[in-house]
Amino acid sequence: MEGEIRLKAFMTNGTVDFLLKLVEKHDNLDMKLMHNNEGGLAYYEHNRKKVFQAGRGYEIVETIGNIQDAGYVVMNHIPVDEENQPTFEERIGRRIHLVEEMPGFQAFRFLKPLKGNMYIVLTQWRTKKDFNRWKGLDEFHETHQPATVKSSTYLFESPHITYFKMYTEEEDE
């Protein structure tokens, strides 16, 4: 809609200790902290500019559910050339709702980069086991058909996936 202010998503990587300080400094934002073996990631959604000096910004194209403080996050990073972005967005948009009824599903974000070409399809699950169960279903294979995310007609780099666990204060103790 014209005049509508769309939410944006912002994220940055760093050590968990560094990111915890950012979360404390910006306690007015519902910033989520995730981590994996490589470090941490801070993520928040808002309609204003990023608060991170070094980070990435995205337009939220599609959203389902609210990102929870606990769970398992899967981020598909998909580079799409500019010419083919409308086709890619339409294809993803047609299939995203297959995931929302899956056991353990918590949230979905389809993120378009404000700069660059690296889209992110983010899903959050209650547990890693829930995500792995989803991967074995026909619905998963339908949403991940080659025409959806691997078509060489609009991808010029290989997509990659990152996995995160939501950070909780209990892990710090």
Side-chain angles (χ1 to χ4, degrees):
M1 288 195 294
E2 193 170 324
E4 176 183 353
I5 297 176
R6 294 185 76 151
L7 277 180
K8 293 179 176 57
F10 300 97
M11 62 181 85
T12 194
N13 296 82
T15 65
V16 170
D17 289 338
F18 172 75
L19 296 174
L20 280 169
K21 291 175 186 167
L22 279 178
V23 170
E24 288 175 24
K25 181 178 177 182
H26 300 286
D27 63 353
N28 59 323
L29 299 172
D30 185 21
M31 203 174 292
K32 306 295 185 186
L33 185 56
M34 309 168 202
H35 67 103
N36 61 21
N37 292 337
E38 297 174 15
L41 182 131
Y43 175 96
Y44 76 96
E45 299 172 350
H46 204 278
N47 59 3
R48 65 181 175 143
K49 291 185 176 185
K50 66 180 179 181
V51 297
F52 306 133
Q53 287 184 353
R56 298 162 308 284
Y58 301 85
E59 174 186 337
I60 301 175
V61 178
E62 294 281 344
T63 180
I64 301 172
N66 295 315
I67 296 177
Q68 305 296 309
D69 291 331
Y72 183 72
V73 175
V74 180
M75 290 187 187
N76 287 290
H77 304 260
I78 307 167
V80 180
D81 69 40
E82 188 174 339
E83 178 182 321
N84 291 294
Q85 289 178 1
T87 302
F88 175 74
E89 290 175 22
E90 189 268 329
R91 285 183 176 170
I92 294 290
R94 278 195 318 233
R95 297 180 177 166
I96 62 170
H97 294 284
L98 291 172
V99 70
E100 68 186 306
E101 297 302 319
M102 295 297 124
F105 170 80
Q106 293 177 313
F108 172 93
R109 298 294 184 275
F110 181 31
L111 306 175
K112 178 180 181 173
L114 296 177
K115 292 181 182 176
N117 58 18
M118 189 66 71
Y119 281 76
I120 293 181
V121 177
L122 179 155
T123 55
Q124 185 185 38
W125 300 87
R126 187 179 56 235
T127 65
K128 182 178 181 178
K129 188 175 182 179
D130 290 320
F131 170 70
N132 286 331
R133 188 177 311 117
W134 155 246
K135 285 187 356 181
L137 298 175
D138 290 341
E139 290 87 349
F140 173 86
H141 296 288
E142 183 178 334
T143 61
H144 292 79
Q145 290 176 3
T148 304
V149 294
K150 296 181 183 171
S151 172
S152 61
T153 62
Y154 55 84
L155 294 181
F156 53 92
E157 297 175 43
S158 295
H160 67 277
I161 299 173
T162 54
Y163 305 94
F164 294 94
K165 183 178 173 189
M166 298 303 287
Y167 180 84
T168 60
E169 289 183 21
E170 292 80 41
E171 294 177 71
D172 204 23
E173 297 174 352

